[in-house]
Amino acid sequence: GAVVSQHPSRVICKSGTSVKIECRSLDFQATTMFWYRQFPKQSLMLMATSNEGSKATYEQGVEKDKFLINHASLTLSTLTVTSAHPEDSSFYICSARRTGGAPYEQYFGPGTRLTVT
Amino acid sequence: GQNIDQPTEMTATEGAIVQINCTYQTSGFNGLFWYQQHAGEAPTFLSYNVLDGLEEKGRFSSFLSRSKGYSYLLLKELQMKDSASYLCAVRDSNNAGNMLTFGGGTRLMVKP
């Protein structure tokens, strides 16, 4: 149980285009999901907290108009990188917190490696 | 906000014991987590401490001292597959959504 999937696992796009990344909790409901970004040999940096049915909360320095987050259901959150640039190339990881679960029940997806050329 | 510090890199020998330390500063401590992350993969949950003391789970143990803002992850009987990054993360109840803030991670290299 407690599986989180991400799609796609890898994506290469051209500069200026938009890319959508999906995060799904497969066997549990997740009112809250988190989006992280990780550059090589660095730790996870929280980008935003996604709450089902409401607007996401973005961390300082993260452009909400560039990184669009939609959490339309209890099992799906999407991150759209708009007008991607090479500096957006990174490993994007989502995590989902089980609704009503214990504090440690936050499960990570397998990540999406984005390369912008 | 939180300051979470852990060593950048550590090296240990197969079969040995290694202790990875983590110190933190937070205003509303609400739990400390340890994750293991292999290169190019997502983090996997190892342990959760919210009260002082030692939590043991097989070859891995985690310790917490809230008064000192200190935790460590202890890995026993090291195996080559334990070569990975180990991430310390703290939850602060003052943060919206009870989000986790991660330290920089400790890259552990296990040598034969």
Side-chain angles (χ1 to χ4, degrees), chain A residues 51-69:
Chain A
N51 296 298
E52 187 267 337
S54 64
K55 291 183 178 180
T57 303
Y58 290 82
E59 293 303 298
Q60 193 171 7
V62 178
E63 300 174 56
K64 62 180 182 180
D65 294 330
K66 180 173 179 61
F67 298 99
L68 302 179
I69 291 173

Side-chain angles (χ1 to χ4, degrees), chain A residues 32 34 36 38 41-46 49 51 57 59 91 93 97 102-106 108-111 113, chain B residues 6 30 33 35 37 39-45 47-48 87 91 96-105 107:
Chain A
T32 303
F34 303 91
Y36 295 86
Q38 186 175 35
K41 296 188 177 181
Q42 295 186 23
S43 191
L44 282 73
M45 296 299 296
L46 180 68
T49 302
N51 296 298
T57 303
E59 293 303 298
F91 193 47
I93 305 175
R97 178 181 296 149
Y104 54 83
E105 292 195 82
Q106 181 171 333
F108 285 84
R113 185 161 302 283
Chain B
Q6 47 182 133
N30 193 23
F33 299 73
Y35 288 86
Q37 186 181 27
E41 299 180 12
T44 55
F45 171 78
S47 68
Y48 168 69
L87 309 177
R91 173 172 288 155
N98 268 320
M99 66 184 193
L100 293 179
T101 300
F102 284 82
R107 283 192 299 279

Side-chain angles (χ1 to χ4, degrees), chain B residues 32 34 46-49 53-57 60-64 71-74:
Chain B
L32 185 142
W34 283 97
L46 290 178
S47 68
Y48 168 69
N49 295 69
L54 186 68
E55 295 280 343
E56 297 186 78
K57 191 185 297 183
F60 294 3
S61 303
S62 58
F63 171 83
L64 175 68
S71 172
Y72 67 72
L73 179 70
L74 193 71

Side-chain angles (χ1 to χ4, degrees), chain B residues 2-106:
Chain B
Q2 298 91 27
N3 288 324
I4 304 174
D5 293 313
Q6 47 182 133
T8 305
E9 292 185 347
M10 297 183 72
T11 302
T13 304
E14 189 177 18
I17 299 172
V18 70
Q19 177 174 312
I20 303 174
N21 296 323
C22 172
T23 58
Y24 64 89
Q25 293 176 314
T26 184
S27 55
F29 178 80
N30 193 23
L32 185 142
F33 299 73
W34 283 97
Y35 288 86
Q36 180 191 61
Q37 186 181 27
H38 286 97
E41 299 180 12
T44 55
F45 171 78
L46 290 178
S47 68
Y48 168 69
N49 295 69
V50 68
L51 299 176
D52 292 348
L54 186 68
E55 295 280 343
E56 297 186 78
K57 191 185 297 183
R59 293 190 299 115
F60 294 3
S61 303
S62 58
F63 171 83
L64 175 68
S65 169
R66 288 172 295 170
S67 63
K68 296 181 180 179
Y70 168 69
S71 172
Y72 67 72
L73 179 70
L74 193 71
L75 292 76
K76 302 176 185 176
E77 301 170 16
L78 280 173
Q79 302 176 9
M80 298 299 291
K81 67 178 182 179
D82 296 330
S83 293
S85 285
Y86 291 86
L87 309 177
C88 172
V90 172
R91 173 172 288 155
D92 187 330
S93 59
N94 292 326
N95 287 334
N98 268 320
M99 66 184 193
L100 293 179
T101 300
F102 284 82
T106 299

